[in-house]
Amino acid sequence: MQQALSNNKKGVTPIKTCPVCNHTQLDGNFCGECGNSFSAIRKRTTTVEVPVSSTNDSLEKLKSDAKNFMQFLFQQLKTPSAHFHTTNTSVQNSMLGIILFILLTSATFYAAFPTSLNTLSPSFFQILLYLSIFFLLVVVVNLIAITSTVKLFSLTESVSELTRKLGGFYAIPIALSVISLVLTFVHSFTLSTIILAIAIFIAFILIPFITITKILFKESTPIDSFYGILFYIAVTTVASILLTAFIADTAIGEILRFLQF
């Protein structure tokens, strides 16, 4: 015992102190007084501290991304074409804009057609899911038509860049969808439906057409740009027919028929 104490004074054997009861001992993995494990105590301390820091970082990043996205929307409302000839806007903001429009439009459909939907008796989340899938497929059709045209004319535009340019125009349809949704709260369903139809027309027909037109007429192509527009229209038409055939026999098609879409 005296030799052990002597070694301890020289620093050979460290003294362990239990953080729970402050009992000190020379060796062992468990406290001789309260029985707590020294290693388990260290693990519990680590697992408590790390998630707190990680959660704070994630929360700050989320706030920063939300702020940047709102600034992006307001900028696009003022100058809708500002993003087209610059790389300052991110693909993430454009994709968030497309997703937000799809969710708002789906929710507005549920609020704007209460009589038709009461016949089907679906839940809000079913409508939101089915219509969101449908509108997302429409966006995919637009991207397929634009990408096919760009590749055919040997233009150096990646899919992510095309998505950025397409989604950058969605600020106006988003604003119209918000107005349409607000109108349903005061039971102005006719005006709400008209505004929503305008928003859908702009998002799924006008914006893709403007996007491919600006790309084709900006770059010099071996084939005349007019034929590029015709090719885009042809691809869009064929893809839309295939999408309609696919949707017709699904639950989405049943909902759209009741909505007379």
Side-chain angles (χ1 to χ4, degrees):
M1 181 65 179
Q2 185 176 359
Q3 183 64 30
L5 292 174
S6 176
N7 289 339
N8 181 57
K9 290 178 181 180
K10 294 178 182 180
V12 176
T13 305
I15 297 176
K16 296 183 178 181
T17 302
C18 177
V20 177
C21 65
N22 293 325
H23 173 71
T24 58
Q25 61 189 57
L26 296 178
D27 55 8
N29 293 325
F30 296 90
C31 176
E33 288 292 328
C34 64
N36 277 292
S37 170
F38 293 122
S39 60
I41 292 172
R42 284 195 296 270
K43 288 180 181 178
R44 284 198 299 268
T45 304
T46 303
T47 55
V48 168
E49 293 177 352
V50 172
V52 171
S53 176
S54 177
T55 302
N56 290 337
D57 292 342
S58 300
L59 186 59
E60 289 300 321
K61 186 178 184 305
L62 183 62
K63 289 180 180 178
S64 176
D65 290 343
K67 182 180 178 180
N68 291 335
F69 179 63
M70 293 305 298
Q71 290 175 345
F72 166 77
L73 288 181
F74 286 123
Q75 177 63 36
Q76 293 308 115
L77 281 174
K78 291 189 295 183
T79 51
S81 300
H83 72 290
F84 208 86
H85 303 291
T86 180
T87 57
N88 293 335
T89 57
S90 66
V91 180
Q92 176 182 330
N93 285 336
S94 294
M95 293 182 66
L96 285 175
I98 294 173
I99 293 172
L100 178 59
F101 172 74
I102 289 174
L103 293 176
L104 281 172
T105 304
S106 301
T108 305
F109 261 101
Y110 184 86
F113 294 92
T115 304
S116 298
L117 292 177
N118 285 338
T119 305
L120 283 176
S121 299
S123 68
F124 169 75
F125 293 105
Q126 284 178 313
I127 293 295
L128 191 67
L129 175 62
Y130 293 151
L131 291 180
S132 295
I133 293 174
F134 170 71
F135 291 130
L136 183 60
L137 290 175
V138 175
V139 174
V140 171
V141 167
N142 290 333
L143 278 173
I144 289 174
I146 293 174
T147 304
S148 301
T149 306
V150 166
K151 297 301 180 183
L152 178 66
F153 283 76
S154 303
L155 300 177
T156 56
E157 296 277 356
S158 64
V159 176
S160 61
E161 178 64 11
L162 293 174
T163 304
R164 185 187 72 83
K165 290 181 175 180
L166 184 71
F169 286 112
Y170 268 67
I172 293 177
I174 288 173
L176 291 175
S177 293
V178 170
I179 295 172
S180 178
L181 182 60
V182 170
L183 287 173
T184 62
F185 296 148
V186 294
H187 298 278
S188 181
F189 298 119
T190 301
L191 183 58
S192 173
T193 303
I194 293 173
I195 294 177
L196 185 62
I198 295 173
I200 291 174
F201 172 79
I202 293 174
F204 297 144
I205 298 178
L206 189 59
I207 286 177
F209 185 79
I210 291 175
T211 301
I212 191 60
T213 302
K214 290 175 74 68
I215 292 174
L216 288 174
F217 284 93
K218 175 188 174 183
E219 305 288 344
S220 57
T221 58
I223 309 175
D224 191 90
S225 300
F226 179 76
Y227 291 107
I229 300 297
L230 292 179
F231 179 79
Y232 164 78
I233 294 174
V235 173
T236 302
T237 302
V238 172
S240 299
I241 292 173
L242 294 176
L243 176 61
T244 302
F246 171 75
I247 294 296
D249 295 329
T250 65
I252 303 174
E254 184 179 356
I255 291 174
L256 293 177
R257 283 193 295 273
F258 269 91
L259 294 178
Q260 297 179 351
F261 183 70

